[in-house]
Amino acid sequence: MRSVTVALAVTASVLGCGGSTTAGRGTAAATRDTAAPATVGRQSFNGTEYASWNLPRWAALAIQDSGFQDRYELFLGLNPYILTARLDGDDSMDVAIQVLERVTRKRGLVIIHWRDRAIHVLGAGNRLGNGGDDFNWLWVWRVAPRAEVDSPAMRGREALYVEKPEAAGGYVYWNGATYVWQQAGD
């Protein structure tokens, strides 16, 4: 069984399977910008090439250009470690990845907006509501559809649902200026 799993992982890596989409973008340049996972030079993040994380090219370039990898590393302890969603309210897919702050080892999420390539660090040493500044409790996460979160501030945006299993959870969403926390249970 192990050899089948390894073969599937290698096949997916070779074929370039991964999280990118061009829905709603409509131009050849936009398609070219996101069509395949990125290998940005031979830069690495956490000892792996960007392509191995299945990041869209635009997100890998935003990380490389920011110097982000000097302070954070990819957290691979929870699968999936990358989600795509329309988090900032436009029709483009933004990217959320799980990271560790290199010095403190605090876990968090990084959200990269497609539109302006802005990088938002939640947790990993940066406090976010009841989530705190270390998301080491996070063992469940998913994209919450627009209709799931009962908050007028969301105005039709998708959110991230994050949870400590069999305990508390919350929604993380963009309010138009910053990411905020909405408690979902105790």
Side-chain angles (χ1 to χ4, degrees):
M1 183 56 106
R2 180 166 163 69
S3 63
V4 171
T5 304
V6 170
L8 288 174
V10 168
T11 302
S13 176
V14 169
L15 293 176
C17 298
S20 67
T21 184
T22 57
R25 306 257 293 279
T27 67
T31 302
R32 187 174 54 251
D33 190 37
T34 61
T39 301
V40 181
R42 297 310 267 181
Q43 298 291 325
S44 68
F45 184 66
N46 199 28
T48 60
E49 290 181 21
Y50 291 122
S52 65
W53 329 349
N54 296 324
L55 274 182
R57 180 171 174 73
W58 65 265
L61 288 170
I63 286 173
Q64 177 182 316
D65 293 347
S66 71
F68 176 86
Q69 67 272 22
D70 295 338
R71 183 166 177 200
Y72 301 96
E73 64 186 65
L74 186 63
F75 176 72
L76 297 173
L78 179 62
N79 196 15
Y81 60 88
I82 181 173
L83 294 174
T84 57
R86 291 172 178 88
L87 296 170
D88 66 356
D90 61 15
D91 282 335
S92 59
M93 297 297 277
D94 304 308
V95 173
I97 57 176
Q98 296 182 45
V99 296
L100 287 173
E101 202 276 331
R102 289 185 185 275
V103 174
T104 65
R105 309 307 291 165
K106 291 182 178 182
R107 273 180 54 200
L109 304 176
V110 172
I111 299 173
I112 308 168
H113 290 172
W114 179 87
R115 181 179 15 177
D116 61 2
R117 309 307 198 252
I119 297 174
H120 304 272
V121 181
L122 317 173
N126 300 286
R127 187 161 189 70
L128 179 69
N130 289 351
D133 72 343
D134 186 358
F135 287 15
N136 66 353
W137 50 265
L138 189 155
W139 291 104
V140 173
W141 79 320
R142 64 179 168 78
V143 175
R146 296 171 184 179
E148 183 176 319
V149 184
D150 183 26
S151 171
M154 280 192 56
R155 291 183 232 135
R157 294 178 177 96
E158 290 176 318
L160 296 177
Y161 176 74
V162 294
E163 176 185 315
K164 178 179 180 181
E166 300 183 25
Y171 294 97
V172 175
Y173 65 90
W174 182 251
N175 70 3
T178 190
Y179 279 92
V180 295
W181 174 277
Q182 179 177 317
Q183 191 70 23
D186 293 329

